[in-house]
Amino acid sequence: MPHLTVVDHPLIQHKLSIMRQEQVSTAGFRRLLREISLLLAYEVTRELELTTMTIQTPMCEMEAPTLEGKKLALISILRAGNGLLDGILELIPGARVGFVGLYRDPETLKPVEYYCKVPKELDARMTIVVDPMLATGNSSVAAIDMLKARGAKNLRFLCLLAAPEGVERMREAHPDVPIFTASLDEKLDDHGYIVPGLGDAGDRMFGTK
Ligand code: URA
């Protein structure tokens, strides 16, 4: 599997171009994020394993495909990750959900854990970490460190936008974790914001600007 997959489906690209625009309302931004996350979820779960079960159709008995193994785990990096959860949970309502909270230490500038509550038996689940913006990669690398320490092995990282700097940082720290995104943007600015980007994803989805 490639380390970076840009999901270039025309519906995703069209919706993303609307979302990026600064005049889009909080409600519009949220709706588009939910719709795109549903489409991204379809792609990030492509490698889920299947088994078969015997079912009875109105015509005959058949061996029908069904998902194998434990329910997958969705891990949201607080707070913006929560904006991606809704759409994914619409598609996979049985998924288990966890949350990771990190803040940046003002002196060391390193991410520090303040919250971590994740599903049990991560070692037996596909674990999808969600955060709309892969910028410096510091928080995603730290979140994945925490999840690996709790047993996660089969990990994916799902974001809306990625900066080349963040992709590189993830490739160095976690080459075994494939990244799925709707766009690989140009760069980071001096404040760590993605350019052209869409601004502060958390502020835009929660209306906190
Ligand atoms: N976080 C955001 O919300 N936006 C960026 O551009 C980078 C990080």
Side-chain angles (χ1 to χ4, degrees):
M1 195 185 297
H3 188 251
L4 177 70
T5 300
V6 178
V7 186
D8 58 358
H9 191 288
L11 280 176
I12 295 182
Q13 295 305 316
H14 178 80
K15 288 173 191 290
L16 178 58
S17 298
I18 300 173
M19 272 183 90
R20 287 185 192 265
Q21 297 174 53
E22 60 184 349
Q23 72 272 20
V24 169
S25 67
T26 302
F29 189 91
R30 250 186 233 150
R31 181 177 49 77
L32 287 158
L33 184 59
R34 201 192 69 243
E35 291 169 2
I36 293 180
S37 56
L38 201 144
L39 296 164
L40 288 172
Y42 177 79
E43 197 57 39
V44 76
T45 51
R46 190 174 281 283
E47 307 283 321
L48 278 171
E49 306 242 332
L50 288 173
T51 181
T52 56
M53 63 178 175
T54 310
I55 62 165
Q56 180 71 44
T57 80
M59 309 299 292
C60 65
E61 205 174 80
M62 77 172 278
E63 287 301 305
T66 182
L67 291 174
E68 185 170 49
K70 293 232 163 272
K71 300 269 189 301
L72 62 79
L74 301 174
I75 310 293
S76 166
I77 303 183
L78 296 171
R79 72 182 162 151
N82 288 11
L84 283 174
L85 275 181
D86 293 350
I88 305 178
L89 282 171
E90 256 173 60
L91 194 68
I92 318 166
R96 305 307 190 229
V97 179
F99 298 93
V100 168
L102 299 157
Y103 71 89
R104 190 150 66 144
D105 184 296
E107 275 168 24
T108 64
L109 302 183
K110 296 233 164 76
V112 180
E113 171 185 337
Y114 68 85
Y115 188 76
C116 184
K117 180 86 181 168
V118 296
K120 291 198 184 80
E121 299 173 279
L122 279 185
D123 57 324
R125 304 179 189 278
M126 180 187 279
T127 301
I128 303 173
V129 183
V130 299
D131 189 351
M133 311 299 268
L134 176 55
T136 61
N138 288 339
S139 50
S140 37
V141 165
I144 290 169
D145 285 341
M146 288 161 63
L147 295 169
K148 284 186 174 173
R150 286 163 175 81
K153 290 190 177 84
N154 182 12
L155 284 143
R156 310 275 184 284
F157 184 84
L158 178 63
C159 58
L160 185 63
L161 301 185
E165 294 87 336
V167 172
E168 197 42 42
R169 173 106 172 78
M170 281 281 284
R171 196 195 307 272
E172 281 164 13
H174 296 297
D176 57 317
V177 179
I179 300 166
F180 291 77
T181 186
S183 174
L184 179 61
D185 272 16
E186 205 180 307
K187 59 177 183 186
L188 291 181
D189 73 5
D190 295 341
H191 306 284
Y193 277 83
I194 298 178
V195 179
L198 48 72
D200 188 299
D203 280 347
R204 293 198 64 188
M205 74 182 70
F206 297 119
T208 45
K209 186 127 199 215

